Amino acid sequence: MSMTRRTIVKGLAATPLAGVAGGLLAPGTAHAATLDPSRYRLTSRDSNGHGRFADLTAGLAAKLPTVDAATVVADTNRSADRLTGAPSTSEAFQTGFAWDPDDQQVPYWIPQGVTTSADAYGNGLYPEGGANKVVLVSWYFETDTDADPEDEYALDKGMRLTFVDHNTPAAPAYRHVLLVEPVRTGSGAYSFAPVRKHAGGIMWYGDLLYVVDTFKGLRIFDLRTLFTVATAEKDVCGLHTDGRYYGYGYQYVLPQSHAYDNAGTWLRYSAIGLDRASSPDSLVIGEYSLSGAVDYDEPGDPYNGSTRPTNTTPKVVRWALDHTDRHPASLTATEAVTVAQQKIQGVVSRTTKHYLSASAGPSVKGTLRTFTSGANSASTVADLAIGCEDLSFHSSGASGWAYGESVIWNVSEYTGARYVYAVRADGS
């Protein structure tokens, strides 16, 4: 083989390099550190203001047909286009697809998070004992798509989740479902409401889907319980005056089943990733910052008015997971480190090695970067597509769905250039 970028990078990727340019903060201003993880804590919550999630879901189950995720995967209604080459500016391309023309161009649904059945189970197949190869992608609804008042939407439809059947890579198929929170109406009837959050990052673990809630913590959705609803009303969510249930025109809704709220020091839950290389398995959270210092004082941020923390360098924080029930094994973090990197959109880890996706706006390529715990800076592994977002690690050790090398999935967000694709984790 000639001395190509693939040959060179394979020899370098194992050791992160310091001082790489391109959106990286100067080491002298980063104040990088290994932090006390006990400062970062969660509190478990099994209810909302309407009651226990389990009771609310049971009430809905008495009114609506219940299905599981495998049923949705087998009931796709849209076709994706297989990518035969690297999309946009990305390098080290392995596989991927692009959405159909409607989803490429829709201005108000914005793709953000990605996870796969290689996160759900170690062999890469779903459900446990099953044979499906599945990609999940989250989207959030943007009511103000640009400066043009005519493009503003009064109704925020919250978040949706896309189930992509990847059993035939040459012809991926998919279906959108609406993410909802179970509630009661003023009269006490069981209903559900849209989840009006950013859906910046998602993680699939067993039958549970973790969704970051930027200012609050983590929302959990159980993929064993979705509801089939009526589809005629495109602007109605929940129990309607006609006695039927709707999900903004989607056939299936997925109700929230649990929550883990931030209970420690300030932390932005911007991105989430699964680490199957750690023992036990663990999840990692990454923080987004526009210029390299995390802003805890944005409108709507619950930290507003509090004393601003002295360390605003973006952090990666880890919690151990319990593989028996798929929930956190402890509510206290086991690792917390800072990294001098702005615009972190995605994070995945392999023990002490962390991968980050860093964006650079609608006209500049994104990058996949890596750093080791306690290091002052991150190095570039490969270029990603313009508008890169969340990450998901797909190990070559996944016996049921594996590639020749470990890959990392990414999703890009801008209209006309929306791709879901995997790059080789060593950047070669």
Side-chain angles (χ1 to χ4, degrees):
M1 182 182 294
S2 62
M3 189 61 72
T4 61
R5 184 180 190 281
R6 178 172 171 78
T7 310
I8 296 169
V9 175
K10 282 183 74 72
L12 298 177
T15 304
L17 308 174
V20 177
L24 195 62
L25 296 181
T29 62
H31 308 295
T34 299
L35 306 174
D36 176 8
S38 67
R39 299 166 55 193
Y40 300 93
R41 300 185 304 278
L42 296 165
T43 183
S44 178
R45 177 165 57 88
D46 67 359
S47 63
N48 59 20
H50 300 268
R52 295 179 64 246
F53 288 121
D55 295 337
L56 296 169
T57 300
L60 287 167
K63 303 286 186 180
L64 292 166
T66 303
V67 301
D68 60 14
T71 301
V72 177
V73 173
D75 189 27
T76 56
N77 63 346
R78 298 190 181 208
S79 297
D81 294 322
R82 179 192 183 188
L83 293 174
T84 57
S88 182
T89 54
S90 65
E91 300 173 314
F93 173 74
Q94 179 67 47
T95 189
F97 58 88
W99 305 108
D100 74 9
D102 287 344
D103 287 321
Q104 277 289 352
Q105 299 298 333
V106 62
Y108 42 80
W109 280 114
I110 316 295
Q112 294 289 287
V114 65
T115 184
T116 78
S117 50
D119 281 336
Y121 292 103
N123 66 359
L125 303 177
Y126 186 84
E128 186 172 21
N132 287 311
K133 303 171 184 178
V134 185
V135 178
L136 300 182
V137 174
S138 64
W139 310 58
Y140 77 95
F141 196 91
E142 177 59 79
T143 56
D144 185 6
T145 56
D146 56 30
D148 185 352
E150 293 183 1
D151 282 342
E152 294 182 5
Y153 300 89
L155 180 61
D156 183 349
K157 297 185 177 181
M159 302 189 300
R160 70 181 184 184
L161 181 71
T162 306
F163 289 80
V164 183
D165 178 350
H166 209 267
N167 290 311
T168 305
Y174 64 97
R175 177 183 284 276
H176 304 306
V177 308
L178 191 70
L179 295 177
V180 299
E181 184 168 357
V183 299
R184 283 182 180 267
T185 67
S187 64
Y190 292 104
S191 187
F192 48 81
V195 182
R196 294 185 170 121
K197 298 294 180 178
H198 186 65
I202 58 177
M203 184 192 82
W204 192 357
Y205 192 50
D207 283 306
L208 300 185
L209 177 72
Y210 286 67
V211 181
V212 292
D213 186 329
T214 310
F215 302 134
K216 195 170 182 64
L218 303 170
R219 292 174 182 256
I220 311 299
F221 298 80
D222 192 328
L223 295 175
R224 292 167 293 191
T225 304
L226 296 91
F227 297 121
T228 305
V229 296
T231 59
E233 295 289 346
K234 308 301 183 185
D235 292 334
V236 176
C237 180
L239 181 60
H240 194 34
T241 53
D242 63 3
R244 307 182 77 184
Y245 290 86
Y246 298 94
Y248 292 138
Y250 296 106
Q251 184 172 330
Y252 301 107
V253 299
L254 173 59
Q256 183 176 338
S257 61
H258 204 88
Y260 288 95
D261 299 333
N262 189 59
T265 191
W266 295 13
L267 183 69
R268 274 183 175 271
Y269 293 77
S270 303
I272 186 171
L274 176 66
D275 186 352
R276 282 192 171 276
S278 64
S279 183
D281 295 343
S282 57
L283 67 83
V284 288
I285 297 296
E287 289 189 301
Y288 175 86
S289 67
L290 183 61
S291 60
V294 182
D295 184 0
Y296 296 103
D297 295 319
E298 289 186 4
D301 195 321
Y303 306 132
N304 249 341
S306 304
T307 302
R308 184 182 177 87
T310 55
N311 187 342
T312 60
T313 305
K315 288 165 281 293
V316 173
V317 182
R318 181 192 305 271
W319 276 267
L321 291 166
D322 184 342
H323 76 277
T324 60
D325 66 5
R326 305 292 174 168
H327 285 265
S330 170
L331 297 179
T332 301
T334 59
E335 181 185 20
V337 295
T338 59
V339 57
Q341 178 62 60
Q342 63 191 37
K343 297 183 179 178
I344 295 172
Q345 300 283 8
V347 59
V348 288
S349 299
R350 302 291 285 175
T351 62
T352 60
K353 185 173 184 176
H354 312 282
Y355 296 88
L356 311 169
S357 56
S359 64
S363 59
V364 180
K365 63 189 178 184
T367 53
L368 178 66
R369 297 177 184 265
T370 186
F371 77 101
T372 54
S373 294
N376 192 57
S377 58
S379 64
T380 296
V381 176
D383 293 337
L384 296 176
I386 293 171
C388 67
E389 288 292 327
D390 199 20
L391 298 176
S392 177
F393 194 92
H394 189 145
S395 173
S396 61
S399 58
W401 180 20
Y403 298 100
E405 302 176 41
S406 294
V407 300
I408 296 176
W409 288 84
N410 180 240
V411 57
S412 54
E413 69 172 348
Y414 293 118
T415 55
R418 290 174 170 167
Y419 310 109
V420 183
Y421 62 100
V423 301
R424 290 179 288 276
D426 66 1
S428 63

